[in-house]
């Protein structure tokens, strides 16, 4: 039994729910959109170790791009950024030579997997392992982004009068503004002393300066961060627009309630 002081619930009209009910539903949808906009993101790189993930996070934060890392297990990490920052993040990491390649060591290259190995296979594995070790060493030099060493070590022929000498070609991609030409002699000496029979004149070093990422030269230094991850600017604007729409809906809902009360009076 309904007493005279009990307000009656709104009765849907012939065309469906009342205006206030429709406004409440619209407000709920907009609220859900705000939460989805705040949580949206894109995987930038996966299958990373923790060191690689930390290097990517540090480079992106230095460029003013918010990023976070997540791990599926102890050796599998993923770096995520906002969808609006995805293209700029890829461009920034490419200019920094990240993520750095994991080089093979001689121990892993010469890991015993079979009973017998042919001389050709052993020689190829030795050259590959030495190239990987030298590339890894050169990549650790300050200012170097990417380094590759290609060795050409001919097979020794005991019947040849003059055996063919080995040679090496080194490619170094370095940071813009860093003069690596001052270190060419040191790079050649490092390679010569690592390969038996290699002569100094048979080592070629080619330098390539990396291109700066779009807008990096004109972008000011980012302010110091007080938190590890701040909301991306694109998501902040999108969430702000949705919040404004929700405010309009709630204002309209309040107006409907006021008009309903006046009509009862």
């Amino acid at each position: 039994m309904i007493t005279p002081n009990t307000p009656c619930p709104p009765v849907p009209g012939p065309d469906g729910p009342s205006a206030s009910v429709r406004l409440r539903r619209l407000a709920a949808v907009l609220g859900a959109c705000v939460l989805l906009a705040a949580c949206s993101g894109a995987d930038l790189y996966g299958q990373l170790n923790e060191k690689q993930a930390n290097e990517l996070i540090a480079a992106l934060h230095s460029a003013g791009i918010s990023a976070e890392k997540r791990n599926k297990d102890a050796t599998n990490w993923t770096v995520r950024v906002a969808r609006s920052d995805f293209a700029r993040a890829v461009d920034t990491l490419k200019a920094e030579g990240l993520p750095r390649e994991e080089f093979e060591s001689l121990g892993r290259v010469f890991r015993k997997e079979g009973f017998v190995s042919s001389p050709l296979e052993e020689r190829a594995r030795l050259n590959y392992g030495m190239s990987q070790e030298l590339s890894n060493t050169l990549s650790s030099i300050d200012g170097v982004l990417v380094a590759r060493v290609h060795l050409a070590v001919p097979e020794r022929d005991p019947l040849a009068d003059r055996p063919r000498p080995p040679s090496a070609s080194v490619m170094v991609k370095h940071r813009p503004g860093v003069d690596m030409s001052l270190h060419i002699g040191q790079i050649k000496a490092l390679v010569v002393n690592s390969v038996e029979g290699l002569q100094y004149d048979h080592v070629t070093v080619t330098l390539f300066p990396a291109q700066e990422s779009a807008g990096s030269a004109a972008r000011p230094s980012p302010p110091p961060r007080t938190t590890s991850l701040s909301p991306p600017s694109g998501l902040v604007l999108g969430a702000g627009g949705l919040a404004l729409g929700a405010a309009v809906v709630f204002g309209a809902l309040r107006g409907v309630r006021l008009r309903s009360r006046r009509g009862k009076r």
Side-chain angles (χ1 to χ4, degrees):
M1 180 177 181
I2 300 177
T3 61
N5 295 328
T6 303
C8 296
V11 180
D15 297 332
S18 63
S20 61
V21 174
R22 291 197 297 268
L23 288 175
R24 290 193 189 97
R25 293 177 180 176
L26 181 58
V29 172
L30 288 175
C33 291
V34 171
L35 295 177
L36 290 176
C39 298
S40 63
D43 290 346
L44 189 61
Y45 283 101
Q47 301 293 330
L48 303 171
N49 57 42
E50 190 172 8
K51 179 182 177 181
Q52 291 174 320
N54 290 337
E55 289 178 344
L56 267 61
I57 293 291
L60 292 173
H61 281 187
S62 298
I65 302 175
S66 297
E68 63 178 0
K69 64 177 183 179
R70 299 178 179 178
N71 65 316
K72 296 181 180 178
D73 51 56
T75 59
N76 187 357
W77 291 80
T78 300
V79 173
R80 292 175 58 85
V81 297
R83 296 185 183 277
S84 58
D85 292 332
F86 187 86
R88 190 160 64 96
V90 171
D91 188 35
T92 299
L93 295 179
K94 181 180 179 181
E96 294 290 333
L98 297 173
R100 300 188 185 278
E101 181 180 350
E102 288 292 318
F103 295 100
E104 296 284 349
S105 65
L106 283 174
R108 295 180 60 182
V109 171
F110 282 90
R111 183 173 55 242
K112 193 65 176 177
E113 296 180 350
F115 292 101
V116 180
S117 298
S118 65
L120 178 61
E121 180 183 0
E122 291 291 341
R123 186 166 60 87
R125 292 169 62 186
L126 175 61
N127 291 338
Y128 175 74
M130 294 176 61
S131 299
Q132 290 285 290
E133 291 279 3
L134 288 170
S135 299
N136 189 21
T137 301
L138 295 179
S139 298
S140 63
I141 298 175
D142 291 342
V144 175
L145 297 177
V146 180
R148 294 289 185 274
V149 179
H150 302 277
L151 297 177
V153 183
E155 184 178 4
R156 293 183 178 182
D157 187 0
L159 301 179
D161 296 335
R162 299 181 59 183
R164 292 178 297 172
S167 60
S169 178
V170 181
M171 186 279 293
V172 175
K173 180 181 178 181
H174 58 88
R175 296 183 184 276
V178 177
D179 188 7
M180 293 297 300
S181 61
L182 302 176
H183 304 288
I184 290 181
Q186 296 173 328
I187 293 174
K188 295 179 68 173
L190 190 151
V191 176
V192 167
N193 294 328
S194 301
V195 181
E196 181 181 1
L198 182 60
Q199 300 179 8
Y200 187 87
D201 295 335
H202 291 170
V203 179
T204 302
V205 178
T206 308
L207 304 177
F208 296 93
Q211 296 182 356
E212 294 185 357
S213 58
S216 61
R219 183 176 60 248
S221 300
R225 296 177 177 269
T226 56
T227 58
S228 60
L229 181 62
S230 59
S233 57
L235 294 182
V236 171
L237 293 177
L242 291 173
L244 179 60
V248 172
V249 171
F250 281 117
L253 179 59
R254 183 178 179 82
V256 170
R257 290 178 177 176
L258 291 176
R259 288 194 297 270
S260 177
R261 292 177 181 176
R262 292 173 182 175
K264 291 180 181 180
R265 294 177 182 176

